[in-house]
Amino acid sequence: MSRTPLRAAIVGTGHRAQTFTRGLAARPAHRVAALCDPNPTRMAFHNRLLTAAGEPAATTWEPDGFADLLAKEDIDEVVVTTVDAAHDRYIVPALQAGCRVVTEKPMTVDAARCARILDTVRATGNSLTVAFNYRFNPVHEKVRALLADGAIGEILSVHFEWVLDVRHGADYFRRWHREKNNSGGLMVHKSSHHFDLVNWWLADEPHEVFGYGRLGFYGRAAGERHGLRRDYDRAHGAEPAADDPFALDLAANDTLRALYLDAEQDDGYLRDRNVFGGPVTIEDDMAVLVRYTRGATMTYHLTAYSPWEGYRVMFNGSAGRLELEVEESRWAQPQTRVASDSGALHGDTAAEHAGGARLTLRPLWRPPVEVPLDVAHEAHGGGDPRMLDALFGPVDSGAADAGGADQGGAAHPTATERDGALALAVGLAANRCFDTGRPVAVRDVVPGVAERQVQAR
């Protein structure tokens, strides 16, 4: 028998929200009934996506009307894709209204907001899922399976290096992410992906964190010191930005123009600020040491200004070593035009200079083994479509099947609010270390996630 589609509200209608607008529109068991954003131009863009997919346009709401939206639109599920610091503003009332909630990572940006979310989940018993799409990358699932099967025995240490190239890395310094009060910095906004992966790979929880971070490449002072700064505030219409490889040309991409340049008249938000301007309150080079509850340690480094993009992660165990290297982009071209139809600088489509991936198992006393991989460089390594299937059911499911989340199956391991809090806790602890120069216990940053921690050894 056919079933009425679940009614969804998408809160925050910027670039990333396109994944959910398109994904829900493709699934008959779900309907985007409402959009919520302070910017009507961006909501109109998402309504065009819906009608182009053969779906009716959604109603549009201002953020101050969110409570009325939930009640009057009879909403079943809420997807939160706002600025990170605003996530709790929508997660909490949606949970209290009995909605199922999916939020983009990071779950939130500070300890107080995290505690508010966790308290609301406990009080309501309702569902919160954090959209950690990297869990659904087949390469990462292969790593998880090998470690869980004991391929290297007991895991004793991890070394993890992630590098963002000067196109993708620079983008965090053009927009709202460059102010830590909005994003929590890259340790929260970006590295929460990576901290969640390690927590999931190890099936363990972080116990203590130490780290150093600095702004050494972007920002006005560093730009002047390195001779990279051009004198403009934002790229659009600025002559010094015309041949600046660090500038973003919003007008050259239809989606960026529609979502941001055309929307400036509504709220004044600038998407193309000078990465060597100010203010910039986040770091671009961060080194972190994490100790886990069962004794393993991780050394982690994030660089946001690399010539190439990708990551290396190595696991050392009692029976050998597992090494993964992924080249998402071998080098960055000095161009300012974004070719992706979605307006993405990275992740949605494969880079022109994408490299490969290599997973090597090095057992003790035996030759190394190259593990076959199914590698994709688009849709965040193939993670986005698989995540959407886990969250909302497959595209070809009919209205008779309401879809719904797979809450933790081996193939599609969705992340809970606790997973979101544990990933956040590492980033928040690292940020505190940057300020104090002292190690920080996870329980001192987000006490609510330490309840099930075992004694570290």
Side-chain angles (χ1 to χ4, degrees):
M1 296 176 60
S2 63
R3 184 180 299 173
T4 302
L6 295 173
R7 292 175 63 80
I10 296 177
V11 189
T13 54
H15 163 261
R16 181 59 181 166
Q18 292 177 88
T19 297
F20 296 97
T21 301
R22 297 177 193 273
L24 289 168
R27 290 166 167 80
H30 303 263
R31 169 154 295 161
V32 179
L35 301 170
C36 182
D37 195 287
N39 193 295
T41 299
R42 282 196 284 274
M43 288 192 287
F45 175 89
H46 281 260
N47 263 331
R48 292 195 294 273
L49 295 180
L50 291 173
T51 57
E55 289 288 291
T59 59
T60 58
W61 293 77
E62 292 278 344
D64 288 345
F66 183 64
D68 289 338
L69 178 163
L70 294 174
K72 293 181 180 179
E73 298 291 348
D74 195 21
I75 296 299
D76 301 297
E77 51 191 3
V78 174
V79 178
V80 180
T81 56
T82 65
V83 170
D84 300 342
H87 285 183
D88 67 305
R89 176 180 177 184
Y90 305 101
I91 291 171
V92 168
L95 290 171
Q96 291 171 337
C99 299
R100 176 197 171 210
V101 184
V102 175
T103 183
E104 255 301 331
K105 61 82 199 166
M107 189 171 76
T108 186
V109 299
D110 62 34
R113 290 178 170 96
C114 180
R116 182 174 179 236
I117 291 169
L118 294 176
D119 288 345
T120 305
V121 171
R122 283 191 287 264
T124 63
N126 289 329
S127 171
L128 175 62
T129 304
V130 183
F132 283 124
N133 55 359
Y134 275 124
R135 285 189 177 209
F136 299 87
N137 182 324
V139 172
H140 301 158
E141 290 183 349
K142 174 67 76 172
V143 169
R144 162 77 181 222
L146 287 168
L147 296 175
D149 288 345
I152 62 169
E154 179 188 355
I155 303 167
L156 302 174
S157 66
V158 183
H159 176 68
F160 197 167
E161 177 189 27
W162 198 290
V163 292
L164 301 169
D165 69 27
V166 283
R167 281 180 59 75
H168 183 200
D171 206 41
Y172 295 107
F173 296 83
R174 298 187 182 106
R175 45 189 173 143
W176 56 264
H177 305 73
R178 68 196 249 161
E179 297 175 26
K180 191 172 282 190
N181 63 322
N182 289 328
S183 67
L186 291 179
M187 283 285 96
V188 169
H189 177 82
K190 183 64 181 175
S191 297
S192 62
H193 263 319
H194 315 149
F195 300 145
D196 176 68
L197 272 179
V198 177
N199 295 345
W200 177 61
W201 278 331
L202 299 184
D204 202 356
E205 299 180 2
H207 177 75
E208 189 174 51
V209 179
F210 181 70
Y212 291 110
R214 66 179 295 205
L215 181 66
F217 185 82
Y218 299 106
R220 185 183 187 107
E224 291 177 346
R225 186 168 71 249
H226 300 139
L228 297 172
R229 174 177 161 76
R230 307 282 185 93
D231 189 18
Y232 62 91
D233 292 326
R234 54 89 55 97
H236 182 68
E239 185 175 346
D243 62 347
D244 183 359
F246 290 94
L248 178 65
D249 187 352
L250 294 175
N253 181 275
D254 290 343
T255 298
L256 290 175
R257 174 186 283 277
L259 277 175
Y260 299 107
L261 195 59
D262 293 348
E264 288 178 13
Q265 61 184 346
D266 299 322
D267 59 13
Y269 171 63
L270 303 181
R271 173 67 177 79
D272 61 344
R273 297 167 73 182
N274 187 347
V275 301
F276 300 115
V280 176
T281 57
I282 66 173
E283 299 82 11
D284 56 27
D285 194 301
M286 294 136 280
V288 176
L289 177 64
V290 183
R291 183 162 61 106
Y292 290 83
T293 59
R294 291 201 296 269
T297 57
M298 175 181 67
T299 55
Y300 171 85
H301 201 115
L302 178 66
T303 304
Y305 53 89
S306 172
W308 71 285
E309 176 134 345
Y311 49 103
R312 301 184 181 102
V313 57
M314 286 77 76
F315 303 86
N316 299 300
S318 61
R321 178 178 166 98
L322 186 65
E323 302 173 347
L324 173 65
E325 179 173 89
V326 179
E327 281 188 310
E328 295 184 342
S329 173
R330 295 179 61 245
W331 64 283
Q333 296 187 82
Q335 64 182 32
T336 58
R337 189 179 186 281
V338 177
S340 167
D341 289 341
S342 71
L345 274 74
H346 174 83
D348 285 16
T349 58
E352 182 178 347
H353 300 290
R358 182 177 179 180
L359 181 60
T360 306
L361 175 62
R362 299 183 184 274
L364 294 181
W365 314 116
R366 285 181 288 160
V369 177
E370 297 297 327
V371 181
L373 293 176
D374 179 16
V375 180
H377 289 290
E378 63 278 357
H380 292 97
D384 281 345
R386 301 176 87 218
M387 180 186 71
L388 290 172
D389 283 349
L391 292 174
F392 306 114
V395 170
D396 58 2
S397 65
D401 178 3
D406 172 358
Q407 293 293 333
H412 293 299
T414 54
T416 68
E417 72 285 341
R418 182 173 177 80
D419 298 316
L422 286 167
L424 170 67
V426 179
L428 294 181
N431 282 339
R432 186 178 294 183
C433 293
F434 300 164
D435 292 336
T436 67
R438 297 178 180 177
V440 175
V442 166
R443 67 176 179 272
D444 292 338
V445 180
V446 186
V449 303
E451 293 170 358
R452 285 169 25 195
Q453 286 192 344
V454 299
Q455 179 70 33
R457 62 180 189 219

